[in-house]
């Protein structure tokens, strides 16, 4: 019998076999996704790398693009305006992520200490996260008005002289950061709160029995156990912040004196205002390379030594 | 003798002394707890005011006159509720047209993502086929690639396909997403294989399993996906200003951004426009806030 059935499976045509059907089904299901990604992700990535070496106005036929070799790459390295936007982007990302993480974590700790109305409070803090950035940027642009803006009028109640929020080149980038942190705070808080809830209460009780102070409990229990959450939040928000566009486009258009000029805004301008598509792509690749390095460093930093040395 | 007398005196005193001590400690603890709660709620309320005030101010400003908005000292309430601001804004922004464009584009992108991401989650999470894990890693690696890197080639592609100034140019490049596929794949680990095997034994094809088992069981993750994709697509500005140059094709974010240029001195119109733009999001938020906050925590922890 066994021999007979073995012989029978052997004579089954391969397209009837279970393993073949499974493989064919899988690839058939995956095919549309893989094709889509090839067209809209992998293709454009390769095109980006190729476009770096061309000078092209974006509208003529691609065959008329002029090969410039490393011309774009060397130009980027010495382009003061681009390098300035690069600096601004990083200052912005550090300020936004740094204050978001610190204030968001503090708020989560506070909210973790109360039991009533948690759902309501959490939702209210989260609301601005959902609101469209374009509308909020327009609103804050008005609130930042120097003479009669809402913020300066509030500050005048406590006798603080008017702040030139978006006009002073030294603080314009920080003003925008303030608005972005306000909008994003709820996101940080909700994620940290979920991370805090996942820490078993027994750890804290054991520490309390051992006589650990609140401060010690935070550094020895909360922070180490929150490490995966922190890593996730920082990696995601750094990558997101480095791509900031909407608030800059609406509130300052890169001004005053290029103080809020950021890379993605400048890439957009280079391509669509100055019609230098090859050069704009080179700028984007430049930022991407740096993001890649930073992400790898972040992942390493968290894995060994660095922030986790207190483990 | 003297020792015993002191002993008795202590022992007679002790119970009341200890009770008093315990009561004192309890009172101190209660006081400290109340003080702690007082402090925590102080911080929370301060934060709530900070989070809510800008929105309230925007709503009030949308009913004021230009002069009231820029009055010194601050005028918080409008003297007269000018509903006319909205009428004017709707006309200036071509609101209904723009709103309709946004609604069509965002709905298409959202619905498409619900199906493509669950499809991807099923393909990479439940189907068994050679090469699956390698292919999934390849897809996952694109999560490291920020959108702006491919911005210009994608624009060129869409332009060459003749999709400038069209809905398809806003929809087709965003039909699916790596993060959504990843999220649903994680979710599907929770769907028991036995269910799928049973359906297969009963003669269901892989397509049938997707339609009759995976989709109905994926409703929670579909809700999370829908919220995030909708919120993201509703707010997209950069791709819109690249693709849509024709005013009649504009989406809400473009029209809002344009208010600042076109009506640079009409603050009341800017605020009315902003308020109009957030209404759909507020409705979505109020209807689904439980899913939203849970979804954030879920995707945050799993990501």
């Amino acid at each position: 019998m066994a021999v007979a059935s073995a012989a029978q499976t052997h004579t089954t045509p391969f397209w009837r076999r279970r393993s073949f059907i499974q493989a064919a089904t899988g690839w058939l299901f995956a095919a549309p996704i893989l094709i889509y990604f090839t067209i809209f992700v992998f293709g454009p990535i390769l095109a980006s790398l190729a476009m770096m070496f061309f000078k092209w106005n974006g509208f003529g036929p691609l065959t008329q693009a002029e090969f410039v070799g490393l011309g774009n790459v060397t130009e980027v390295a010495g382009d003061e305006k681009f390098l300035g936007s690069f600096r601004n982007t990083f200052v912005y990302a550090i300020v936004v992520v740094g204050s978001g993480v610190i204030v968001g974590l503090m708020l989560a700790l506070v909210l973790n200490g109360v039991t009533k109305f948690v759902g309501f409070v959490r939702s209210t803090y989260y609301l601005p996260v959902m609101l469209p950035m374009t509308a909020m940027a327009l609103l804050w642009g008005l609130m930042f008005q120097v003479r009669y803006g809402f913020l300066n009028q509030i500050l005048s109640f406590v006798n603080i002289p008017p702040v030139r929020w978006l006009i002073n080149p030294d603080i314009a980038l920080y003003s925008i950061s303030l608005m972005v942190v306000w909008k994003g705070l709820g996101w940080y808080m909700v994620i940290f709160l979920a991370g805090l809830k996942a820490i078993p209460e027994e750890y804290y009780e054991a520490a309390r029995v051992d006589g650990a102070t609140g401060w010690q409990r935070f550094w020895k229990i909360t922070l180490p156990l929150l490490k995966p959450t922190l890593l996730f939040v920082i990696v995601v928000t750094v990558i997101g912040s480095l791509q900031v566009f909407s608030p800059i486009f609406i509130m300052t258009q890169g001004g005053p004196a290029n103080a809020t000029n950021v890379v993605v805004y400048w890439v957009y301008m280079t391509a669509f205002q100055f019609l230098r598509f090859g050069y704009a792509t080179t700028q984007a690749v430049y930022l991407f390379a740096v993001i890649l390095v930073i992400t790898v460093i972040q992942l390493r930093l968290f894995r060994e030594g660095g922030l986790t040395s207190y483990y | 003798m003297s020792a015993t007398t002191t002993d008795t005196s202590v022992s007679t005193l002790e119970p009341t002394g200890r009770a008093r001590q315990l009561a004192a400690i309890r009172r101190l603890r209660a006081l400290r707890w109340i003080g702690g709660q007082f402090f925590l709620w102080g911080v929370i309320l301060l934060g709530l005011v900070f989070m809510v005030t800008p929105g309230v101010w925007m709503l009030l400003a949308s009913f004021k006159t230009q002069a009231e908005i820029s009055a010194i000292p601050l005028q918080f309430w409008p003297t007269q509720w000018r509903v006319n601001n909205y009428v004017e804004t709707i006309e200036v922004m071509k609101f209904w047209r723009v709103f309709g464009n946004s609604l069509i584009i965002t709905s298409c992108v959202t619905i498409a993502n619900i199906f493509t991401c669950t499809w991807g989650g099923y393909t990479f999470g439940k189907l068994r086929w050679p090469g699956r894990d390698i292919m999934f890693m390849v897809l996952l690696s694109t999560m490291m690639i920020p959108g702006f890197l491919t911005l210009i080639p994608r624009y060129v592609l869409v332009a060459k396909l003749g999709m400038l100034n069209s809905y398809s140019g806003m929809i087709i490049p965003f039909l699916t997403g790596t993060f959504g596929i990843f999220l649903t794949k994680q979710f599907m680990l929770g769907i028991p294989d036995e269910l799928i095997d049973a359906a297969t034994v009963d003669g269901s094809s892989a397509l049938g399993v997707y339609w009759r088992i995976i989709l109905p069981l994926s409703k929670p993750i579909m809700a999370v996906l829908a919220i995030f994709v909708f919120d993201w697509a509703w707010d997209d500005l950069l791709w819109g200003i690249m693709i849509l140059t024709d005013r009649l094709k504009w989406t809400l974010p473009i029209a809002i951004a344009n208010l600042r240029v076109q009506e640079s001195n009409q603050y009341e119109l800017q605020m009315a426009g902003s308020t109009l733009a957030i209404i759909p999001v507020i409705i979505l938020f109020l209807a689904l806030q439980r899913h939203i906050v849970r979804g954030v925590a879920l995707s945050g922890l799993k990501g």
Side-chain angles (χ1 to χ4, degrees):
Chain A
M1 275 308 271
V3 175
S5 75
Q8 205 185 346
T9 45
H10 197 72
T11 51
T12 317
F14 71 91
W15 63 84
R16 286 278 187 79
R17 268 181 230 153
R18 207 174 129 76
S19 60
F20 175 78
I21 292 173
Q22 272 195 345
T25 312
W27 280 98
L28 234 90
F29 266 69
I33 297 175
L34 296 177
I35 291 170
Y36 183 86
F37 269 84
T38 308
I39 295 172
F40 285 101
V41 182
F42 299 117
I45 292 172
L46 292 179
S48 275
L49 297 178
M51 277 173 82
M52 278 174 74
F53 304 104
F54 287 90
K55 185 178 166 185
W56 185 48
N57 68 8
F59 295 100
L62 275 164
T63 44
Q64 275 180 17
E66 182 193 335
F67 184 77
V68 290
L70 290 175
N72 287 330
V73 180
T74 49
E75 192 182 340
V76 161
D79 184 340
E80 267 311 312
K81 212 154 179 189
F82 172 73
L83 294 177
S85 76
F86 208 75
R87 263 195 309 277
N88 291 337
T89 308
F90 276 88
V91 170
Y92 168 86
I94 290 167
V95 171
V96 166
V97 174
S99 27
V101 165
I102 292 170
V103 181
L105 184 55
M106 288 194 320
L107 270 176
L109 286 168
V110 165
L111 202 57
N112 202 30
V114 300
T115 46
K116 292 229 167 20
F117 309 114
V118 175
F120 166 76
V121 172
R122 215 169 39 172
S123 294
T124 312
Y125 275 96
Y126 196 76
L127 183 59
V129 179
M130 298 291 292
L131 298 181
M133 179 57 99
T134 36
M136 292 303 105
L138 202 60
L139 163 65
W140 278 75
L142 191 50
M143 297 204 328
F144 280 140
Q145 272 278 350
V146 178
R147 249 166 28 85
Y148 42 78
F150 185 67
L151 289 176
N152 277 349
Q153 296 229 36
I154 293 289
L155 291 180
S156 75
F157 287 149
V158 280
N159 282 327
I160 296 176
V163 180
R164 293 156 61 83
W165 298 102
L166 296 175
I167 295 172
N168 184 343
D170 292 332
I171 61 169
L173 196 60
Y174 300 99
S175 304
I176 292 180
S177 307
L178 173 71
M179 178 254 162
V180 174
V181 170
W182 167 81
K183 191 176 180 304
L185 204 53
W187 185 84
Y188 293 89
M189 193 199 72
V190 165
I191 289 189
F192 283 136
L193 197 59
L196 289 175
K197 294 276 183 230
I199 300 176
E201 187 59 31
E202 292 85 59
Y203 291 2
Y204 291 109
E205 267 155 31
R208 220 171 277 138
V209 169
D210 288 347
T213 63
W215 193 242
Q216 283 171 326
R217 288 200 295 269
F218 175 73
W219 285 101
K220 303 275 184 193
I221 300 175
T222 311
L223 216 48
L225 287 174
L226 217 54
K227 196 181 71 168
T229 314
L230 268 172
L231 173 66
F232 166 79
V233 165
I234 292 176
V235 169
V236 168
T237 51
V238 165
I239 292 178
S241 304
L242 293 175
Q243 303 190 58
V244 57
F245 176 79
S246 299
I248 306 286
F249 181 80
I250 292 177
M251 291 164 94
T252 58
Q253 293 85 47
N258 295 318
T260 61
N261 187 16
V262 291
V263 173
V264 174
Y265 178 74
W266 197 237
V267 167
Y268 166 78
M269 291 297 279
T270 307
F272 291 92
Q273 294 294 314
F274 314 134
L275 301 180
R276 300 185 61 193
F277 276 59
Y279 190 49
T281 310
T282 314
Q283 296 176 337
V285 173
Y286 203 87
L287 179 64
F288 169 65
V290 176
I291 290 182
L292 202 63
V293 171
I294 289 177
T295 310
V296 171
I297 291 175
Q298 279 178 337
L299 292 170
R300 297 218 110 188
L301 217 83
F302 271 83
R303 204 179 304 147
E304 60 214 41
L307 273 175
T308 63
S309 49
Y310 53 76
Y311 231 156
Chain B
M1 277 302 271
S2 65
T4 41
T5 45
T6 39
D7 252 29
T8 48
S9 70
V10 166
S11 64
T12 48
L13 268 174
E14 204 174 48
T16 47
R18 178 165 289 170
R20 211 176 294 152
Q21 231 171 0
L22 277 175
I25 288 173
R26 220 173 287 138
R27 217 175 304 132
L28 196 73
R29 260 199 206 145
L31 267 176
R32 197 185 277 172
W33 186 83
I34 290 170
Q37 291 288 305
F38 216 75
F39 171 75
L40 294 181
W41 276 107
V43 174
I44 291 172
L45 286 178
L46 208 68
L48 282 179
V49 169
F50 179 62
M51 298 316 274
V52 167
T53 310
V56 173
W57 189 76
M58 174 177 81
L59 188 66
L60 291 174
S62 71
F63 290 104
K64 292 178 192 170
T65 62
Q66 160 72 15
E68 283 170 333
I69 293 176
S70 45
I72 305 173
L74 200 66
Q75 188 183 339
F76 202 71
W77 298 97
T79 28
Q80 205 187 356
W81 294 77
R82 287 168 54 92
V83 182
N84 202 38
N85 288 346
Y86 283 89
V87 178
E88 204 175 324
T89 310
I90 285 171
E91 201 181 305
V92 165
M93 278 174 80
K94 296 188 173 53
F95 178 78
W96 294 116
R97 173 88 209 190
V98 165
F99 182 82
N101 290 341
S102 264
L103 206 60
I104 291 171
I105 290 167
T106 309
S107 307
C108 287
V109 169
T110 308
I111 293 168
N113 266 275
I114 288 174
F115 286 104
T116 56
C117 291
T118 44
W119 177 280
Y122 173 53
T123 306
F124 291 101
K126 282 297 177 197
L127 288 179
R128 274 156 282 185
W129 44 286
R132 180 185 79 173
D133 294 340
I134 296 169
M135 282 299 135
F136 186 64
M137 284 316 286
V138 171
L139 280 197
L140 209 57
S141 69
T142 63
M143 252 162 60
M144 294 286 288
I145 291 159
F148 71 82
L149 176 69
T150 56
L151 198 65
I152 290 165
R154 266 185 300 148
Y155 167 80
V156 174
L157 178 67
V158 165
K160 294 285 169 203
L161 292 173
M163 298 195 290
L164 291 185
N165 277 319
S166 72
Y167 291 149
S168 51
M170 295 294 289
I171 296 168
I172 289 174
F174 305 104
L175 289 181
T176 191
T178 320
F179 189 65
I181 293 176
F182 175 72
L183 208 61
T184 38
K185 178 184 180 281
Q186 294 296 101
F187 177 83
M188 273 171 204
L189 296 178
I191 297 180
D193 283 329
E194 289 78 28
L195 266 176
I196 295 169
D197 293 339
T200 314
V201 168
D202 287 349
S204 239
S205 65
L207 206 61
V209 169
Y210 170 70
W211 194 253
R212 279 194 291 273
I213 295 177
I214 299 294
L215 277 187
L217 287 180
S218 299
K219 273 182 193 144
I221 200 73
M222 285 158 88
V224 172
L225 265 175
I227 294 160
F228 291 123
V229 173
F230 184 95
D231 191 57
W232 169 84
W234 189 257
D235 199 18
D236 169 76
L237 176 66
L238 178 55
W239 188 253
I241 54 176
M242 287 163 59
I243 300 296
L244 308 171
T245 44
D246 176 0
R247 271 202 86 135
L248 289 175
K249 295 285 164 53
W250 275 3
T251 54
L252 254 180
I254 309 176
I256 293 286
N258 185 58
L259 271 184
R260 196 193 128 92
V261 185
Q262 192 192 338
E263 307 294 334
S264 57
N265 290 316
Q266 310 267 154
Y267 299 136
E268 73 279 17
L269 299 190
Q270 291 183 15
M271 293 302 99
S274 301
T275 309
L276 287 172
I278 72 170
I279 287 173
V281 182
I282 298 263
I283 293 173
L284 189 79
F285 184 78
L286 290 180
L288 300 169
Q289 52 174 307
R290 190 167 281 210
H291 291 280
I292 293 171
V293 172
R294 202 178 290 155
V296 179
L298 184 86
S299 54
L301 291 177
K302 291 259 169 86

